[in-house]
Amino acid sequence: MNPLVIHVTGARPNFPKAAPVLAALESRGVEQLLVHTGQHYDERMSEVFFRQLGIPTPDVNLGVGSGTHAKQTAAIMVAMEDLLTEHKPAMVVVYGDVNSTVGAALVAAKLGIPIAHVEAGLRSFDLTMPEEINRIVTDRLADLLLATSPDAIAHLGNEGVHPDKIHLVGNPMIDTLLANLDRFDADAARASFGLEGPYLVGTLHRPGNVDNDDDVRRLVTALHQAAGLAPIVVPLHPRGRPRLEAAGILDHPSIRLEEPLGYLEFMGLVRGAAAVVTDSGGVQEETTILGVPCLTLRPNTERPVTITHGTNELVTTDTLAGKVEQILATGPLTEWPTPPLWDGKAGQRIADVIAGSLPG
Ligand code: UD1
Ligand code: UDP
């Protein structure tokens, strides 16, 4: 029997990362099973990515849904234990830093199944972020640590991970971006949102920005200041919508709230933007390649390469409007650096490492 590889996905950022890995392993004839935990379940948070990116329909959906961290992670673990016990895979591949990642990794480790972690080694050094806890635990348990950037290699080395386990493979999210670049239509985005002249895009969903009323009030004031300079389209993650609406985000004529957008519509909008205001991990990376200035509303980032080799900059609610003003005065970038190995071939490198470590 061929060794089986089980991929575990569940939340929006997992899907564009998994797409090129699934395709590259498929082309090598590796037997695969795709699991969706059901952490994200709205059509716009999940299915649209599968449809637009041609990702195979998951073989299994665990249907765990939303809940507190403990409830959600526990539901993932219970269902994953049954699934892994039944299928006995040779390897489990987990992506990024969401609860589905750490839940699956904990179960696989206790069943003695090797784990490959795609996007290993990123660190914000901020344990108030649930994702930082998920990253550290997942990396501690993983057997193959597949890193997107050199800083990640250094962090894993400092944590005592044996160098033989660590592989600098590049960024599979950027594989997906480059493979679909021709489909990102900025003109269509302008037309569909009725935008003329420079505009901004905002995405905000981190607990540190949207879970507390005082933070949300400050955020809304900062967005209103920025909207005084250029219209902002905000495709809003469901997490923050009630608080942002209650804090009056819509009380400015130049702010437009949208439901989460499909990947292609979102990337088309971002491609044509004068700047993006975000707290998303993926968006920091995507703007780096598209050359769109990225203003990250966070005190830190686990993706410093997007600052040193990209267009990203950390801002606060106090500095946001000033930065937007500067960017609008400067106009679009004509050149910008890009990180090493963000070249569209990460999925192939990841597949080489995984296939090379499967039992013969
Ligand atoms: C999760 C990840 C975060 C990632 C984000 C990407 C963890 C700990 N967090 O955060 O790292 O940046 O996904 O989008 O895994 N909801 C819906 N519909 C859905 C999914 C969620 O309405 O399809 C709402 C529910 O009210 C839910 C809330 O969003 O309680 C939060 O969802 P959850 O998956 O717990 O965390 P995210 O904030 O999405
Ligand atoms: N995205 C999208 N539509 C949206 C917002 C985001 O298609 O309305 C995509 C985008 O490619 C982004 C990815 O979803 O990189 C993951 O986004 P999110 O910010 O939810 O997760 P994070 O990267 O912060 O974990």
Side-chain angles (χ1 to χ4, degrees), residues 7-15 35-40 61-65 69 72-77 80 92-108 115 117 134 138:
H7 301 260
V8 184
T9 61
R12 177 166 74 177
N14 294 156
F15 311 133
V35 177
H36 189 316
T37 64
Q39 176 173 350
H40 285 175
N61 190 318
L62 305 177
V64 300
H69 283 271
Q72 187 176 62
T73 310
I76 292 163
M77 290 180 69
M80 281 305 302
V92 170
V93 187
V94 295
Y95 297 85
D97 55 16
V98 301
N99 284 348
S100 300
T101 314
V102 74
L106 277 164
V107 174
I115 300 162
H117 183 204
N134 295 347
T138 304

Side-chain angles (χ1 to χ4, degrees), residues 148-149 151 171 173-174 177-178 181 184 266-267 270-271 273-276 278 280-296 301-314 333-343:
T148 52
S149 55
D151 54 289
N171 191 333
M173 187 118 179
I174 300 306
L177 181 146
L178 294 174
L181 202 52
F184 304 159
F266 179 71
M267 296 307 303
V270 168
R271 187 180 203 175
V276 173
T278 193
S280 158
V283 174
Q284 293 174 60
E285 298 181 341
E286 291 157 341
T287 46
T288 274
I289 297 301
L290 292 175
V292 173
C294 181
L295 299 173
T296 297
T301 177
E302 62 290 332
R303 293 166 160 87
V305 75
T306 60
I307 297 177
T308 55
H309 291 70
T311 59
N312 191 18
E313 191 170 351
L314 299 182
L333 298 175
T334 48
E335 336 177 41
W336 59 94
T338 54
L341 300 186
W342 290 21
D343 58 358

Side-chain angles (χ1 to χ4, degrees), residues 102-265:
V102 74
L106 277 164
V107 174
K110 293 200 177 185
L111 291 173
I113 300 166
I115 300 162
H117 183 204
V118 174
E119 202 183 88
L122 297 186
R123 296 289 180 268
S124 65
F125 300 100
D126 177 357
L127 282 169
T128 66
M129 290 182 77
E131 294 83 2
E132 184 72 355
I133 299 167
N134 295 347
R135 291 179 199 119
I136 292 169
V137 174
T138 304
D139 284 340
R140 185 69 189 84
L141 302 175
D143 301 272
L144 295 178
L145 294 106
L146 304 158
T148 52
S149 55
D151 54 289
I153 308 279
H155 298 147
L156 294 169
N158 291 340
E159 291 173 18
V161 179
H162 195 284
D164 289 354
K165 293 178 164 184
I166 307 171
H167 303 266
L168 181 62
V169 290
N171 191 333
M173 187 118 179
I174 300 306
D175 289 17
T176 296
L177 181 146
L178 294 174
N180 290 283
L181 202 52
D182 292 348
R183 303 166 78 196
F184 304 159
D185 189 339
D187 292 335
R190 270 183 189 284
S192 115
F193 294 104
L195 296 160
E196 281 166 24
Y199 67 90
L200 310 172
V201 176
T203 82
L204 296 149
H205 70 277
R206 295 275 162 218
N209 280 328
V210 303
D211 276 11
N212 167 287
D213 287 336
D214 289 337
D215 295 332
V216 168
R217 265 194 295 275
R218 274 193 290 275
L219 176 60
V220 166
T221 303
L223 291 173
H224 285 180
Q225 287 165 352
L229 303 164
I232 311 184
V233 182
V234 185
L236 199 54
H237 184 292
R239 180 179 196 107
R241 183 177 273 270
R243 268 208 179 76
L244 283 158
E245 283 185 350
I249 188 171
L250 282 169
D251 298 344
H252 194 293
S254 297
I255 293 197
R256 181 162 175 162
L257 275 199
E258 293 292 324
E259 294 294 315
L261 295 176
Y263 177 77
L264 296 177
E265 292 77 15

